[in-house]
Amino acid sequence: MDTLQILLDFFTGYGYVAVFTVLLVCGFGVPIPEDITLVAGGIISGLGYTNVHWMFLVGMAGVLAGDGIMFTAGRVFGNRVLKFRPIARILTQERFEAVQEKFEKYGNWVLFVARFLPGLRSPIFITAGMTRRISYWRFLLMDGFAALISVPVWVYLGYYGAANREWLMTMVHRGQAGILAVVAALLLGVAFVWMRRRRQHQCVKK
């Protein structure tokens, strides 16, 4: 039985609570695909078990809560969090150093991109908390902005494709590539605006 079917069986029986719980667990670094979880939530809405708009809100709450707990753990416990074995498995020394390097290079935008990097999401959020350079509200803003791109795509895709699973899975694979393309375009746009403002500022100084 594949992951999607297992999630559908679970979600059908327990609804919103089940979806929220699994998304929370995803935020802890457990290898359950977040996109498939959200799609499954959309499917049960399409089949009439839940309301799709409420499912979108539950999806947002679940992903932000899971991410927020990882960030808060790093912020509250600092380096001591690495002594906790489950987190130590997620955030190895190599990953910790790599994430720090990315923060130095790209700043807070690493938090935005992290939402689309399943293997690095939790290590990045924990490290962001450990550095104490970013407030909780700034973290929530960046992560929430990214979630507003991915969560509705997966939930409503599952909703509209509930009756045609073959079409749905084809669109899921296309959607993964499409979301990455949108994110890349947004980052390029931000980089362009930043570079343009920097040049204008330099010209004013001259």
Side-chain angles (χ1 to χ4, degrees), residues 29 56 58 65 73 82 95 100 116 128 134 144 167 174 182:
F56 160 62
V58 169
L82 298 177
R95 278 185 173 178
Q100 283 186 315
F116 310 99
I134 302 162
W167 173 86
R174 290 181 182 176
V182 169

Side-chain angles (χ1 to χ4, degrees), residues 122-200:
S122 294
I124 287 174
F125 293 156
I126 295 169
T127 303
M130 291 171 66
T131 61
R132 296 178 179 269
R133 297 178 184 176
I134 302 162
S135 69
Y136 181 78
W137 294 111
R138 169 90 39 119
F139 164 78
L140 191 63
L141 179 66
M142 299 298 288
D143 191 38
F145 180 35
L148 279 173
I149 295 174
S150 61
V151 173
V153 168
W154 299 127
V155 171
Y156 287 100
L157 185 60
Y159 174 75
Y160 288 111
N164 190 339
R165 196 72 57 81
E166 185 176 343
W167 173 86
L168 175 60
M169 295 315 295
T170 299
M171 295 305 295
V172 165
H173 294 304
R174 290 181 182 176
Q176 290 168 338
I179 286 177
L180 289 176
V182 169
V183 171
L186 282 172
L187 292 177
L188 285 173
V190 169
F192 174 77
V193 171
W194 179 79
M195 289 177 66
R196 188 173 180 180
R197 287 183 176 178
R198 186 177 181 183
R199 287 178 181 175
Q200 289 174 344

Side-chain angles (χ1 to χ4, degrees), residues 33-78:
E34 187 179 275
D35 52 357
I36 298 300
T37 302
L38 291 166
V39 168
I43 290 175
I44 66 168
S45 294
L47 296 176
Y49 292 99
T50 55
N51 178 278
V52 68
H53 306 306
W54 280 110
M55 185 58 71
F56 160 62
L57 294 176
V58 169
M60 287 292 296
V63 299
L64 293 179
D67 296 346
I69 289 173
M70 290 292 95
F71 176 82
T72 302
R75 190 173 181 86
V76 172
F77 297 105

Side-chain angles (χ1 to χ4, degrees), residues 1-14:
M1 188 180 291
D2 63 11
T3 303
L4 178 60
Q5 190 57 53
I6 293 172
L7 291 173
L8 285 174
D9 292 341
F10 181 44
F11 293 171
T12 299
Y14 299 97

